[in-house]
Amino acid sequence: QVQLVESGGGSVQAGESLRLSCAHSRYTPSSAYCMGWFRQAPGKEREEVALITTTGGGPDYAESVKGRFTISQDNAKNTLYLQMISLKPEDTAKYFCAAALFRADSASACPKTTLAYGYWGQGTQVTVSS
């Protein structure tokens, strides 16, 4: 069982930055996970934002956030991060941290569909105004 708790959301102006954190517990280091961030805007489906593997594989990003968002992890702190810069109003959504028991050499091989992820945080709201 993996427990995920997000923090760091808020309301910002377009062009500003935010860093989201996801503290995870009961994570088994011997197991391999795809972990990452998804977001869901009102009236839209939940979509992948950024993924990373716990085995150290390269990250994967949605096209809409490439060059602006950076996913990283601190294994000593059991924390996943999403650094977001140059935020746009269309980034407004509830952001969720998720984990899937899945071994991949690179996050590009991680599943992109929400159904593949069995562990979810409660989400944190990000609102970007123009």
Side-chain angles (χ1 to χ4, degrees):
Q1 186 76 6
V2 177
Q3 296 176 343
L4 308 167
V5 179
E6 305 97 333
S7 61
S11 296
V12 296
Q13 297 288 319
E16 294 184 341
S17 302
L18 278 175
R19 188 177 78 159
L20 306 183
S21 299
C22 172
H24 50 85
S25 61
R26 295 188 180 179
Y27 160 67
T28 305
S30 61
S31 298
Y33 292 84
C34 286
M35 297 190 71
W37 295 92
F38 290 75
R39 67 186 181 187
Q40 187 166 19
K44 294 188 176 181
E45 293 187 354
R46 195 171 295 187
E47 62 177 4
E48 175 220 357
V49 175
L51 298 171
I52 198 167
T53 68
T54 57
T55 55
D60 184 79
Y61 297 96
E63 285 296 327
S64 59
V65 307
K66 280 183 180 178
R68 300 187 299 121
F69 291 12
T70 302
I71 188 171
S72 62
Q73 57 188 337
D74 185 332
N75 292 330
K77 296 182 178 180
N78 287 344
T79 302
L80 186 71
Y81 301 100
L82 184 68
Q83 178 68 51
M84 306 183 292
I85 66 170
S86 302
L87 282 161
K88 304 175 181 180
E90 50 264 44
D91 294 319
T92 295
K94 194 166 189 178
Y95 284 70
F96 297 87
C97 180
L101 189 62
F102 189 92
R103 181 172 293 278
D105 292 331
S106 170
S108 61
C110 289
K112 306 297 189 292
T113 59
T114 57
L115 287 175
Y117 290 78
Y119 306 104
W120 292 89
Q122 81 288 352
T124 185
Q125 180 67 36
V126 172
T127 302
V128 185
S129 55
S130 57

